[in-house]
Amino acid sequence: MSTMQSVLIVEDEMIIAANISMQLNHLGYHVNGIIPRAEEVLPHIKLQVPDILLMDINLKGEMDGIELAGLIQNEYKIPIIYLTANADEVHFNRAKSTNPYAFISKPFKKIDLQRAIELTIIRVAEEKNSKPNEEIPNEPFMLSDSIFVRHHDKMVKINIHDILYIEAERNYCKIHCKDKEHLIVSTLKDLEEKLTVNHLMRIHRSFIVNLFHIDEIANTHVVIARKAIPLSAELKKQLLLHIQKI
C-alpha cells in the first residue's frame, strides 16, 4: 500500500474513468471520486481533498482540464497528473505552465499509471523534506492601487489601473488586464466588497468594469478593448452619473 491514500479522477469518458478506478484499486490506492464535469471539481475538493489528482486535459464544456488545474492551484497544493489523447505542442506548453507532476498519454497501460503515481509520490516526499516556503495566503488582498493574487507558490501583483474588467464565472473570477488574464477563486460579490477604488464599478451581475477603459456606452452594453460587455438597465443611469464624478 502506498503512502498516498486517495486519488481523484477527473475524466468525462466514463468507461475510461471506470477502468482507471479499477486499476487504482488493484494498485492499492483509494479512489476519492470520479468527476466528469469541471465545475463539479472544486466543490468536491472543498469537502474532501485528494492526495493526487488525475486530470483529463480535454474535458467537455466551457473549461478544459488545464484551466481547471490553474483554479485548483490558486487554492490547493494537490499534485496533478494529466491524462491526454492530444499531445500537441500548444496543449503541452499550456499544461506545462501549471507544473504537473506527470503526463499520461491515452491509450495507456496499467504500468504507465503505476509509474506516474509512484514518481509523483517520490517527488512529493522530496518536497516535504526540503525547506518549507513561507505560507502563501489563498485569498486575494487589496492595496490602494493594486491587488495581490496567488499564482502557484507566490503572490502576483496586479495594478488596478491595468484591469480592463472582471468577469464572474461560477465560483471564480477572471481578471482581464491589458496583456494578461488572472483566474482567482472568489465570487464577484466578495471581490466587489473588497474593492475600494471608485473607478471599478459593477454594471451587470457578471461584470465589474474599469470606467477609465470604457470606449463606448450603448443602450445594452459598454465596449472595452473591443469587448462588448452587457450593461444592466437598472445600472445604466448609475454608471453615467458615476462617470461624470471621476
Side-chain angles (χ1 to χ4, degrees):
M1 176 70 70
S2 167
T3 55
M4 281 290 182
Q5 296 299 309
S6 63
V7 181
L8 177 61
I9 302 168
V10 182
E11 167 64 68
D12 56 16
E13 296 184 47
M14 295 312 292
I15 293 176
I16 293 176
N19 181 49
I20 292 171
S21 178
M22 181 179 68
Q23 292 186 29
L24 288 173
N25 286 326
H26 287 166
L27 291 169
Y29 298 97
H30 168 68
V31 176
N32 177 284
I34 298 175
I35 302 180
R37 297 179 59 84
E39 59 266 27
E40 298 172 2
V41 175
L42 274 170
H44 177 93
I45 291 176
K46 287 180 180 179
L47 295 175
Q48 190 177 11
V49 180
D51 294 311
I52 292 179
L53 188 56
L54 279 177
M55 175 82 76
D56 182 25
I57 286 180
N58 301 302
L59 295 172
K60 297 181 181 71
E62 297 179 2
M63 192 187 335
D64 67 10
I66 302 169
E67 291 177 277
L68 175 58
L71 287 178
I72 292 169
Q73 290 172 333
N74 284 334
E75 196 165 354
Y76 303 95
K77 188 172 176 58
I78 304 172
I80 293 175
I81 298 173
Y82 281 122
L83 306 169
T84 180
N86 187 353
D88 63 57
E89 196 70 16
V90 173
H91 281 82
F92 177 74
N93 286 332
R94 282 184 61 225
K96 189 169 64 173
S97 70
T98 63
N99 297 314
Y101 281 60
F103 284 85
I104 303 176
S105 295
K106 299 178 184 177
F108 56 86
K109 299 177 182 178
K110 183 178 178 180
I111 190 65
D112 299 325
L113 182 65
Q114 181 178 355
R115 286 173 176 169
I117 292 180
E118 287 180 355
L119 288 171
T120 298
I121 292 169
I122 292 170
R123 181 172 158 190
V124 169
E126 290 174 347
E127 289 171 353
K128 286 183 177 179
N129 290 331
S130 65
K131 184 178 179 180
N133 293 325
E134 185 178 349
E135 188 66 27
I136 304 296
N138 291 323
E139 295 292 325
F141 61 87
M142 316 291 174
L143 298 179
S144 61
D145 62 349
S146 57
I147 304 173
F148 279 84
V149 299
R150 180 170 177 164
H151 182 70
H152 302 316
D153 59 348
K154 59 187 177 183
M155 298 298 286
V156 176
K157 181 180 179 181
I158 304 173
N159 290 320
I160 288 177
H161 180 74
D162 292 336
I163 296 173
L164 300 176
Y165 59 93
I166 304 170
E167 181 179 3
E169 296 187 16
R170 294 180 293 274
N171 292 322
Y172 66 97
C173 289
K174 185 178 289 185
I175 300 177
H176 296 262
C177 297
K178 293 178 179 179
D179 56 357
K180 194 172 183 180
E181 296 177 355
H182 302 269
L183 287 166
I184 63 172
V185 180
S186 173
T187 64
L188 195 65
K189 181 181 178 181
D190 288 343
L191 194 58
E192 181 185 21
E193 291 173 354
K194 294 176 182 178
L195 293 168
T196 58
V197 292
N198 61 7
H199 58 274
L200 288 179
M201 178 182 170
R202 189 168 187 163
I203 64 166
H204 183 270
R205 67 177 182 273
S206 299
F207 288 92
I208 291 173
V209 301
N210 188 333
L211 304 185
F212 289 134
H213 291 296
I214 293 177
D215 299 313
E216 299 175 22
I217 301 176
N219 285 330
T220 59
H221 66 274
V222 303
V223 176
I224 296 179
R226 300 183 181 179
K227 163 77 173 179
I229 299 170
L231 171 61
S232 298
E234 62 271 19
L235 292 175
K236 183 179 178 182
K237 184 177 180 180
Q238 185 179 339
L239 170 63
L240 294 174
L241 288 173
H242 209 65
I243 285 179
Q244 294 174 31
K245 295 178 181 178
I246 64 171

